[in-house]
Amino acid sequence: MANPSAVTVQVFSLNCWGIRYLSKHCAQRFAMIGDMLSNGEHDIVLLQEVWSEKDFLGLKKKLAFSHPHSHYFKSGVIGSGLAIFCKYRIHDTFLYRYSLNGYPYMAHHGDWFGGKAVGLAIIQIGSLTANVYVTHLHAEYCREKDSYLPHRMVQAWELQQFIRHTSAGADAVIVGGDLNMHPQDLGSRLLRSYTGLRDAYLETSQFDGCEDGITLIANNPFISQKELGPFEKGIRIDYILFKGSAKAEMHCDWMSTTKGSIPEKPFPYSDHEALTAELQVKALRLQDPALGQADQDSKKVAELVDILTEARTEVKVGLHCAERMRYTATRTGIMGLALLILELAIAAVPWLALGAEQPFPRTSFYLLATLCCTILITTFLLYIFYTMELKSLQGAEDQMRLAVGSLQERLRGVTVDHTPLRKSPEGEEPGAFDKEE
Amino acid sequence: MANPSAVTVQVFSLNCWGIRYLSKHCAQRFAMIGDMLSNGEHDIVLLQEVWSEKDFLGLKKKLAFSHPHSHYFKSGVIGSGLAIFCKYRIHDTFLYRYSLNGYPYMAHHGDWFGGKAVGLAIIQIGSLTANVYVTHLHAEYCREKDSYLPHRMVQAWELQQFIRHTSAGADAVIVGGDLNMHPQDLGSRLLRSYTGLRDAYLETSQFDGCEDGITLIANNPFISQKELGPFEKGIRIDYILFKGSAKAEMHCDWMSTTKGSIPEKPFPYSDHEALTAELQVKALRLQDPALGQADQDSKKVAELVDILTEARTEVKVGLHCAERMRYTATRTGIMGLALLILELAIAAVPWLALGAEQPFPRTSFYLLATLCCTILITTFLLYIFYTMELKSLQGAEDQMRLAVGSLQERLRGVTVDHTPLRKSPEGEEPGAFDKEE
């Protein structure tokens, strides 16, 4: 090792595509992944889509010697699918479940049932505290008409919030996972610029892997060309990100990805390529903590404000869409109710005029009543669901507005006094009061 | 002010009981609360149960001059009910929604629809960064047979996780809210001992309020003796908590609560009493950051391990209960399905033997079929719900086990090397390897 105070940490990330009975060769692939990891090359292993706890336990048994510390993050109906295996002791964990994650009635996409989340594990690398995050965002099923875009936008927003707010005490930050976003997508930019995280692929000194670092590639036998759409060769949606702090410096020495096929194996580990990054973590002498904050200069802040404004627009589009859907559900529900009342009224008339003949055939009556009740129940559930979606979107939008305000304030370089000097009737962004402390 | 470097911050917390059309005198009470707060005595106002956004906007308008900065936290079907009004600019916000919060079919308790959460607002008090939290945990409807205890336990666990992980960068921490737990309840102890938060009521030099600091009192006209059960005078379930850091020292100079009735007003502000605490925040010279961690001596850690073990037991009880409920739902669902198949078979026999008379009266047939379908849908939804509950309980239990392991390790005073020396087949808590760095 060139630098005696530096520690080299090998980080591995893979979306395992582990849907039992649905993913091809699921059991064999997990066996292959376990065999490969058990050689103990990697210090920190971040896995996504380990949907079945049995598969996690299988890996845990296999990696008991090479990676004695592990954690499986549970959430949602099926689970988060997130797992971490580690050579370092895991001191603490925390899970944040995204407030939006698809629709329960889109069962064929299944994201809602997965309870997608971001998991945090806190480890100690020598004298340094490292926060390790693993996450998986909502899939993109159709890039041209991506109805899940606002959901993924809110997830990216919550991911950066979670990382930013929980990593204040960390000396090193490592993030791995399937973000389901291209490097230049709004969500990726938001994440990187707000947290200051650096992309291992862009930072690495040496790279051995697919062209442009793509991780969903046409060469992979589990991938159909249709999935990739206009991106013939493939797309880069899996990442290893990192950042140091005032107490630690971090570099990426080299990075590699698998390239579709695995030598001497009949098929690859997954439909995604596996990422490995060798990070060098070097403890610095304790410096003025202000140094850590100085990296966000005004140009970066201005850039961030632009990104945030764009993200707000995206979320607002989602908001209007959710409002429209809720309105449709309400209208359909009211129609169902009206139909039910009408039917009951028609049936009640001859019943009240005793002795008159029943004009309503019984079969039709019951069928219609069942239909009306089904409509009522479904629209009620949909109404509740859309209301929850609306609240989450509104919540994210509010928080973004507040963040933009605060950043603009910082750009103007003013400190705010807490005694207001003039009335601001809306109470919102009431302007700053110049006062230097 | 005795100390020129100290800042005095007045914190106010109130559960507003703001259920429109259901809470008594809701609109009048919000008007009273707005009038009282608009005198600008309080620097930070933390409100719970502001269920309607209209009420929040009403307050915002009224407090635009006294508290120009505000945030309303949105989540769930109705909302989190949490709001913050502040004289200091709010720089950043973040919301964590508890993974468990009652049952949707217990609509008369309504907690599930509220989307209970903990909200964080980051403000700047002079040169110090303060994290302000506002929260509201699941209500306790029956202390003797509290079926929501595991849910509240998980909420207390997640609350302490959220505070601990997000406050590492904060110089001062302020928490206010309705915890729905007595001071000696397991959840309260867990929260205080894991985060190091201090209870303003226990720490204050001067106190002016109800006996024993109770906040749900028999003297309040909105409270029935039945609600208080064996606690004739009342209970203390609302809190203001705080803690300093290596960079700031905090004290509580005085604290007060309302005492049921308000002079010259026909009724109190709410069914809960309002809390006000005057906190003194004093910036310290920058010290060794290790000092901040030194406050958890081994005795405290041992105490925390005990509390955590107790909490795990509580969560396990909830786990067994949820498993039983899911099993019942599954069994009922299977019975519904069997009944439906049987009915269809009986109806199909004469239909297959053409010309034979239909033995099944049509009305009964349709009624029975509707019943079966309703059972199937309901049990399916219940199954999904209980699975989510189970995952959250398991997740909390796993995290608690890991935390206990790490704390026990710390008690033994050993540093763990990352190269395992002996095989640990379960991969869990594989023992420590003595190595001093």
Side-chain angles (χ1 to χ4, degrees), chain A residues 286-323:
Chain A
L286 193 64
Q287 296 174 353
D288 183 0
L291 201 81
Q293 294 169 358
D295 61 351
Q296 281 203 329
D297 63 338
S298 66
K299 202 186 141 203
K300 274 190 186 166
V301 174
E303 201 181 282
L304 182 54
V305 168
D306 288 346
I307 294 176
L308 264 175
T309 311
E310 216 179 314
R312 267 185 76 186
T313 314
E314 206 61 76
V315 171
K316 273 185 196 162
V317 170
L319 246 168
H320 290 306
C321 184
E323 259 167 6

mmCIF file of all heavy atoms in Angstrom, chain A residues 286-323:
data_model
loop_
_atom_site.group_PDB
_atom_site.id
_atom_site.type_symbol
_atom_site.label_atom_id
_atom_site.label_comp_id
_atom_site.label_asym_id
_atom_site.label_seq_id
_atom_site.Cartn_x
_atom_site.Cartn_y
_atom_site.Cartn_z
ATOM 1 N N LEU A 286 -7.375 16.055 11.954
ATOM 2 C CA LEU A 286 -8.620 16.787 12.218
ATOM 3 C C LEU A 286 -8.450 18.242 11.804
ATOM 4 O O LEU A 286 -7.546 18.937 12.249
ATOM 5 C CB LEU A 286 -8.965 16.710 13.698
ATOM 6 C CG LEU A 286 -10.387 17.164 14.011
ATOM 7 C CD1 LEU A 286 -11.392 16.246 13.346
ATOM 8 C CD2 LEU A 286 -10.617 17.216 15.495
ATOM 9 N N GLN A 287 -9.336 18.663 10.912
ATOM 10 C CA GLN A 287 -9.258 20.043 10.448
ATOM 11 C C GLN A 287 -10.472 20.807 10.918
ATOM 12 O O GLN A 287 -11.375 20.262 11.529
ATOM 13 C CB GLN A 287 -9.199 20.056 8.919
ATOM 14 C CG GLN A 287 -7.934 19.385 8.408
ATOM 15 C CD GLN A 287 -7.949 19.284 6.906
ATOM 16 O OE1 GLN A 287 -8.941 19.594 6.277
ATOM 17 N NE2 GLN A 287 -6.848 18.852 6.348
ATOM 18 N N ASP A 288 -10.458 22.056 10.585
ATOM 19 C CA ASP A 288 -11.609 22.894 10.915
ATOM 20 C C ASP A 288 -12.843 22.306 10.228
ATOM 21 O O ASP A 288 -12.843 22.109 9.020
ATOM 22 C CB ASP A 288 -11.335 24.312 10.399
ATOM 23 C CG ASP A 288 -12.453 25.264 10.780
ATOM 24 O OD1 ASP A 288 -13.415 24.813 11.441
ATOM 25 O OD2 ASP A 288 -12.365 26.429 10.406
ATOM 26 N N PRO A 289 -13.883 22.002 10.982
ATOM 27 C CA PRO A 289 -15.052 21.402 10.347
ATOM 28 C C PRO A 289 -15.665 22.278 9.268
ATOM 29 O O PRO A 289 -16.378 21.788 8.401
ATOM 30 C CB PRO A 289 -16.027 21.180 11.503
ATOM 31 C CG PRO A 289 -15.429 21.795 12.709
ATOM 32 C CD PRO A 289 -14.011 22.145 12.423
ATOM 33 N N ALA A 290 -15.387 23.582 9.299
ATOM 34 C CA ALA A 290 -15.952 24.485 8.279
ATOM 35 C C ALA A 290 -15.451 24.103 6.890
ATOM 36 O O ALA A 290 -16.109 24.346 5.886
ATOM 37 C CB ALA A 290 -15.576 25.920 8.584
ATOM 38 N N LEU A 291 -14.273 23.444 6.860
ATOM 39 C CA LEU A 291 -13.678 23.061 5.591
ATOM 40 C C LEU A 291 -14.609 22.144 4.800
ATOM 41 O O LEU A 291 -14.691 22.219 3.578
ATOM 42 C CB LEU A 291 -12.357 22.333 5.855
ATOM 43 C CG LEU A 291 -11.385 22.305 4.686
ATOM 44 C CD1 LEU A 291 -10.618 23.608 4.611
ATOM 45 C CD2 LEU A 291 -10.401 21.153 4.854
ATOM 46 N N GLY A 292 -15.278 21.274 5.514
ATOM 47 C CA GLY A 292 -16.158 20.313 4.856
ATOM 48 C C GLY A 292 -17.320 20.986 4.157
ATOM 49 O O GLY A 292 -17.822 20.504 3.150
ATOM 50 N N GLN A 293 -17.742 22.123 4.704
ATOM 51 C CA GLN A 293 -18.900 22.805 4.118
ATOM 52 C C GLN A 293 -18.489 23.706 2.960
ATOM 53 O O GLN A 293 -19.318 24.116 2.162
ATOM 54 C CB GLN A 293 -19.596 23.641 5.188
ATOM 55 C CG GLN A 293 -20.219 22.773 6.271
ATOM 56 C CD GLN A 293 -20.662 23.602 7.465
ATOM 57 O OE1 GLN A 293 -20.480 24.804 7.494
ATOM 58 N NE2 GLN A 293 -21.242 22.934 8.446
ATOM 59 N N ALA A 294 -17.192 24.013 2.898
ATOM 60 C CA ALA A 294 -16.739 24.992 1.918
ATOM 61 C C ALA A 294 -16.784 24.470 0.493
ATOM 62 O O ALA A 294 -16.639 25.237 -0.448
ATOM 63 C CB ALA A 294 -15.330 25.439 2.254
ATOM 64 N N ASP A 295 -17.008 23.143 0.354
ATOM 65 C CA ASP A 295 -16.953 22.587 -0.993
ATOM 66 C C ASP A 295 -18.146 22.990 -1.844
ATOM 67 O O ASP A 295 -18.149 22.814 -3.045
ATOM 68 C CB ASP A 295 -16.784 21.062 -0.941
ATOM 69 C CG ASP A 295 -17.943 20.397 -0.240
ATOM 70 O OD1 ASP A 295 -18.764 21.123 0.351
ATOM 71 O OD2 ASP A 295 -18.026 19.161 -0.272
ATOM 72 N N GLN A 296 -19.182 23.499 -1.206
ATOM 73 C CA GLN A 296 -20.326 23.937 -1.993
ATOM 74 C C GLN A 296 -20.172 25.418 -2.290
ATOM 75 O O GLN A 296 -20.681 26.267 -1.560
ATOM 76 C CB GLN A 296 -21.612 23.667 -1.223
ATOM 77 C CG GLN A 296 -22.028 22.207 -1.302
ATOM 78 C CD GLN A 296 -23.511 22.046 -1.052
ATOM 79 O OE1 GLN A 296 -24.104 22.812 -0.316
ATOM 80 N NE2 GLN A 296 -24.125 21.057 -1.661
ATOM 81 N N ASP A 297 -19.482 25.751 -3.329
ATOM 82 C CA ASP A 297 -19.327 27.158 -3.672
ATOM 83 C C ASP A 297 -20.574 27.658 -4.378
ATOM 84 O O ASP A 297 -21.475 26.895 -4.703
ATOM 85 C CB ASP A 297 -18.066 27.372 -4.517
ATOM 86 C CG ASP A 297 -18.154 26.636 -5.838
ATOM 87 O OD1 ASP A 297 -18.942 25.671 -5.892
ATOM 88 O OD2 ASP A 297 -17.449 26.988 -6.783
ATOM 89 N N SER A 298 -20.606 28.961 -4.604
ATOM 90 C CA SER A 298 -21.854 29.548 -5.081
ATOM 91 C C SER A 298 -22.265 29.025 -6.452
ATOM 92 O O SER A 298 -23.451 28.903 -6.745
ATOM 93 C CB SER A 298 -21.752 31.066 -5.082
ATOM 94 O OG SER A 298 -20.785 31.459 -6.031
ATOM 95 N N LYS A 299 -21.297 28.651 -7.282
ATOM 96 C CA LYS A 299 -21.656 28.146 -8.601
ATOM 97 C C LYS A 299 -22.424 26.827 -8.470
ATOM 98 O O LYS A 299 -23.438 26.600 -9.126
ATOM 99 C CB LYS A 299 -20.383 27.941 -9.439
ATOM 100 C CG LYS A 299 -20.645 27.929 -10.940
ATOM 101 C CD LYS A 299 -19.403 27.586 -11.720
ATOM 102 C CE LYS A 299 -19.753 26.698 -12.898
ATOM 103 N NZ LYS A 299 -18.614 25.916 -13.355
ATOM 104 N N LYS A 300 -21.906 25.984 -7.573
ATOM 105 C CA LYS A 300 -22.573 24.703 -7.341
ATOM 106 C C LYS A 300 -23.968 24.900 -6.771
ATOM 107 O O LYS A 300 -24.900 24.194 -7.116
ATOM 108 C CB LYS A 300 -21.738 23.861 -6.371
ATOM 109 C CG LYS A 300 -20.658 23.052 -7.057
ATOM 110 C CD LYS A 300 -20.048 22.078 -6.087
ATOM 111 C CE LYS A 300 -18.858 21.364 -6.711
ATOM 112 N NZ LYS A 300 -18.064 20.665 -5.705
ATOM 113 N N VAL A 301 -24.082 25.876 -5.864
ATOM 114 C CA VAL A 301 -25.392 26.135 -5.259
ATOM 115 C C VAL A 301 -26.372 26.603 -6.329
ATOM 116 O O VAL A 301 -27.525 26.155 -6.371
ATOM 117 C CB VAL A 301 -25.270 27.165 -4.107
ATOM 118 C CG1 VAL A 301 -26.641 27.545 -3.582
ATOM 119 C CG2 VAL A 301 -24.424 26.602 -2.978
ATOM 120 N N ALA A 302 -25.892 27.481 -7.213
ATOM 121 C CA ALA A 302 -26.763 27.986 -8.280
ATOM 122 C C ALA A 302 -27.221 26.830 -9.176
ATOM 123 O O ALA A 302 -28.394 26.754 -9.568
ATOM 124 C CB ALA A 302 -26.014 29.023 -9.110
ATOM 125 N N GLU A 303 -26.302 25.925 -9.454
ATOM 126 C CA GLU A 303 -26.624 24.750 -10.270
ATOM 127 C C GLU A 303 -27.689 23.909 -9.580
ATOM 128 O O GLU A 303 -28.651 23.452 -10.191
ATOM 129 C CB GLU A 303 -25.338 23.943 -10.436
ATOM 130 C CG GLU A 303 -25.306 23.002 -11.609
ATOM 131 C CD GLU A 303 -23.976 22.256 -11.618
ATOM 132 O OE1 GLU A 303 -22.978 22.843 -12.030
ATOM 133 O OE2 GLU A 303 -23.961 21.087 -11.173
ATOM 134 N N LEU A 304 -27.495 23.756 -8.273
ATOM 135 C CA LEU A 304 -28.426 22.961 -7.480
ATOM 136 C C LEU A 304 -29.824 23.577 -7.480
ATOM 137 O O LEU A 304 -30.832 22.872 -7.587
ATOM 138 C CB LEU A 304 -27.873 22.838 -6.056
ATOM 139 C CG LEU A 304 -28.669 22.000 -5.072
ATOM 140 C CD1 LEU A 304 -28.933 20.606 -5.615
ATOM 141 C CD2 LEU A 304 -27.929 21.894 -3.753
ATOM 142 N N VAL A 305 -29.857 24.904 -7.393
ATOM 143 C CA VAL A 305 -31.151 25.598 -7.415
ATOM 144 C C VAL A 305 -31.868 25.288 -8.733
ATOM 145 O O VAL A 305 -33.069 25.001 -8.754
ATOM 146 C CB VAL A 305 -30.968 27.121 -7.219
ATOM 147 C CG1 VAL A 305 -32.260 27.869 -7.523
ATOM 148 C CG2 VAL A 305 -30.521 27.426 -5.801
ATOM 149 N N ASP A 306 -31.111 25.314 -9.845
ATOM 150 C CA ASP A 306 -31.708 25.007 -11.150
ATOM 151 C C ASP A 306 -32.270 23.591 -11.179
ATOM 152 O O ASP A 306 -33.393 23.354 -11.627
ATOM 153 C CB ASP A 306 -30.649 25.140 -12.261
ATOM 154 C CG ASP A 306 -30.307 26.596 -12.520
ATOM 155 O OD1 ASP A 306 -31.065 27.459 -12.038
ATOM 156 O OD2 ASP A 306 -29.289 26.860 -13.179
ATOM 157 N N ILE A 307 -31.474 22.651 -10.694
ATOM 158 C CA ILE A 307 -31.904 21.247 -10.692
ATOM 159 C C ILE A 307 -33.155 21.082 -9.842
ATOM 160 O O ILE A 307 -34.120 20.417 -10.220
ATOM 161 C CB ILE A 307 -30.772 20.338 -10.176
ATOM 162 C CG1 ILE A 307 -29.591 20.359 -11.165
ATOM 163 C CG2 ILE A 307 -31.264 18.916 -9.970
ATOM 164 C CD1 ILE A 307 -28.391 19.576 -10.701
ATOM 165 N N LEU A 308 -33.129 21.735 -8.679
ATOM 166 C CA LEU A 308 -34.261 21.633 -7.770
ATOM 167 C C LEU A 308 -35.529 22.199 -8.400
ATOM 168 O O LEU A 308 -36.618 21.637 -8.254
ATOM 169 C CB LEU A 308 -33.963 22.401 -6.492
ATOM 170 C CG LEU A 308 -33.420 21.570 -5.343
ATOM 171 C CD1 LEU A 308 -33.050 22.467 -4.186
ATOM 172 C CD2 LEU A 308 -34.481 20.581 -4.888
ATOM 173 N N THR A 309 -35.376 23.309 -9.109
ATOM 174 C CA THR A 309 -36.531 23.941 -9.751
ATOM 175 C C THR A 309 -37.115 22.982 -10.790
ATOM 176 O O THR A 309 -38.333 22.820 -10.892
ATOM 177 C CB THR A 309 -36.107 25.274 -10.398
ATOM 178 O OG1 THR A 309 -35.371 26.009 -9.426
ATOM 179 C CG2 THR A 309 -37.295 26.074 -10.847
ATOM 180 N N GLU A 310 -36.211 22.347 -11.533
ATOM 181 C CA GLU A 310 -36.654 21.374 -12.532
ATOM 182 C C GLU A 310 -37.377 20.206 -11.854
ATOM 183 O O GLU A 310 -38.428 19.747 -12.305
ATOM 184 C CB GLU A 310 -35.407 20.856 -13.266
ATOM 185 C CG GLU A 310 -35.611 20.568 -14.741
ATOM 186 C CD GLU A 310 -34.311 20.084 -15.380
ATOM 187 O OE1 GLU A 310 -33.252 20.706 -15.142
ATOM 188 O OE2 GLU A 310 -34.359 19.086 -16.101
ATOM 189 N N ALA A 311 -36.811 19.742 -10.752
ATOM 190 C CA ALA A 311 -37.407 18.617 -10.024
ATOM 191 C C ALA A 311 -38.793 18.983 -9.502
ATOM 192 O O ALA A 311 -39.728 18.176 -9.552
ATOM 193 C CB ALA A 311 -36.499 18.214 -8.875
ATOM 194 N N ARG A 312 -38.934 20.226 -9.032
ATOM 195 C CA ARG A 312 -40.246 20.678 -8.545
ATOM 196 C C ARG A 312 -41.273 20.619 -9.661
ATOM 197 O O ARG A 312 -42.415 20.198 -9.447
ATOM 198 C CB ARG A 312 -40.166 22.129 -8.059
ATOM 199 C CG ARG A 312 -39.884 22.276 -6.597
ATOM 200 C CD ARG A 312 -39.953 23.730 -6.200
ATOM 201 N NE ARG A 312 -41.318 24.220 -6.106
ATOM 202 C CZ ARG A 312 -41.630 25.489 -5.881
ATOM 203 N NH1 ARG A 312 -40.678 26.381 -5.733
ATOM 204 N NH2 ARG A 312 -42.895 25.867 -5.794
ATOM 205 N N THR A 313 -40.874 21.036 -10.850
ATOM 206 C CA THR A 313 -41.790 21.025 -11.997
ATOM 207 C C THR A 313 -42.241 19.584 -12.263
ATOM 208 O O THR A 313 -43.423 19.319 -12.472
ATOM 209 C CB THR A 313 -41.067 21.571 -13.246
ATOM 210 O OG1 THR A 313 -40.384 22.747 -12.868
ATOM 211 C CG2 THR A 313 -42.033 21.843 -14.369
ATOM 212 N N GLU A 314 -41.270 18.664 -12.220
ATOM 213 C CA GLU A 314 -41.572 17.251 -12.449
ATOM 214 C C GLU A 314 -42.593 16.741 -11.428
ATOM 215 O O GLU A 314 -43.556 16.053 -11.769
ATOM 216 C CB GLU A 314 -40.256 16.474 -12.309
ATOM 217 C CG GLU A 314 -40.206 15.195 -13.078
ATOM 218 C CD GLU A 314 -40.370 15.436 -14.550
ATOM 219 O OE1 GLU A 314 -39.419 15.894 -15.207
ATOM 220 O OE2 GLU A 314 -41.479 15.165 -15.024
ATOM 221 N N VAL A 315 -42.363 17.084 -10.181
ATOM 222 C CA VAL A 315 -43.264 16.634 -9.119
ATOM 223 C C VAL A 315 -44.642 17.263 -9.300
ATOM 224 O O VAL A 315 -45.678 16.614 -9.096
ATOM 225 C CB VAL A 315 -42.670 16.965 -7.729
ATOM 226 C CG1 VAL A 315 -43.685 16.712 -6.634
ATOM 227 C CG2 VAL A 315 -41.421 16.133 -7.490
ATOM 228 N N LYS A 316 -44.668 18.519 -9.749
ATOM 229 C CA LYS A 316 -45.952 19.193 -9.965
ATOM 230 C C LYS A 316 -46.747 18.498 -11.065
ATOM 231 O O LYS A 316 -47.972 18.383 -10.973
ATOM 232 C CB LYS A 316 -45.720 20.657 -10.332
ATOM 233 C CG LYS A 316 -45.598 21.554 -9.119
ATOM 234 C CD LYS A 316 -45.495 22.997 -9.582
ATOM 235 C CE LYS A 316 -44.995 23.890 -8.467
ATOM 236 N NZ LYS A 316 -44.485 25.160 -9.003
ATOM 237 N N VAL A 317 -46.050 18.049 -12.112
ATOM 238 C CA VAL A 317 -46.725 17.310 -13.191
ATOM 239 C C VAL A 317 -47.389 16.067 -12.589
ATOM 240 O O VAL A 317 -48.555 15.773 -12.852
ATOM 241 C CB VAL A 317 -45.711 16.920 -14.292
ATOM 242 C CG1 VAL A 317 -46.349 15.959 -15.288
ATOM 243 C CG2 VAL A 317 -45.185 18.150 -15.003
ATOM 244 N N GLY A 318 -46.638 15.353 -11.734
ATOM 245 C CA GLY A 318 -47.179 14.178 -11.055
ATOM 246 C C GLY A 318 -48.377 14.521 -10.200
ATOM 247 O O GLY A 318 -49.358 13.784 -10.133
ATOM 248 N N LEU A 319 -48.307 15.676 -9.542
ATOM 249 C CA LEU A 319 -49.388 16.147 -8.684
ATOM 250 C C LEU A 319 -50.675 16.325 -9.480
ATOM 251 O O LEU A 319 -51.748 15.854 -9.072
ATOM 252 C CB LEU A 319 -48.991 17.504 -8.109
ATOM 253 C CG LEU A 319 -48.756 17.598 -6.613
ATOM 254 C CD1 LEU A 319 -48.089 18.900 -6.258
ATOM 255 C CD2 LEU A 319 -50.058 17.460 -5.868
ATOM 256 N N HIS A 320 -50.563 17.002 -10.623
ATOM 257 C CA HIS A 320 -51.750 17.227 -11.451
ATOM 258 C C HIS A 320 -52.317 15.904 -11.916
ATOM 259 O O HIS A 320 -53.528 15.700 -11.923
ATOM 260 C CB HIS A 320 -51.386 18.114 -12.652
ATOM 261 C CG HIS A 320 -51.082 19.509 -12.242
ATOM 262 N ND1 HIS A 320 -51.957 20.256 -11.492
ATOM 263 C CD2 HIS A 320 -49.995 20.287 -12.436
ATOM 264 C CE1 HIS A 320 -51.424 21.446 -11.245
ATOM 265 N NE2 HIS A 320 -50.228 21.480 -11.803
ATOM 266 N N CYS A 321 -51.426 14.990 -12.275
ATOM 267 C CA CYS A 321 -51.861 13.691 -12.760
ATOM 268 C C CYS A 321 -52.615 12.939 -11.651
ATOM 269 O O CYS A 321 -53.687 12.396 -11.885
ATOM 270 C CB CYS A 321 -50.626 12.927 -13.220
ATOM 271 S SG CYS A 321 -50.997 11.376 -13.951
ATOM 272 N N ALA A 322 -52.050 12.948 -10.447
ATOM 273 C CA ALA A 322 -52.687 12.254 -9.319
ATOM 274 C C ALA A 322 -54.024 12.888 -8.979
ATOM 275 O O ALA A 322 -55.000 12.197 -8.662
ATOM 276 C CB ALA A 322 -51.766 12.278 -8.106
ATOM 277 N N GLU A 323 -54.093 14.217 -9.081
ATOM 278 C CA GLU A 323 -55.350 14.919 -8.811
ATOM 279 C C GLU A 323 -56.421 14.492 -9.807
ATOM 280 O O GLU A 323 -57.572 14.255 -9.446
ATOM 281 C CB GLU A 323 -55.131 16.433 -8.918
ATOM 282 C CG GLU A 323 -54.984 17.083 -7.563
ATOM 283 C CD GLU A 323 -54.454 18.504 -7.659
ATOM 284 O OE1 GLU A 323 -54.311 19.038 -8.774
ATOM 285 O OE2 GLU A 323 -54.143 19.068 -6.592
#
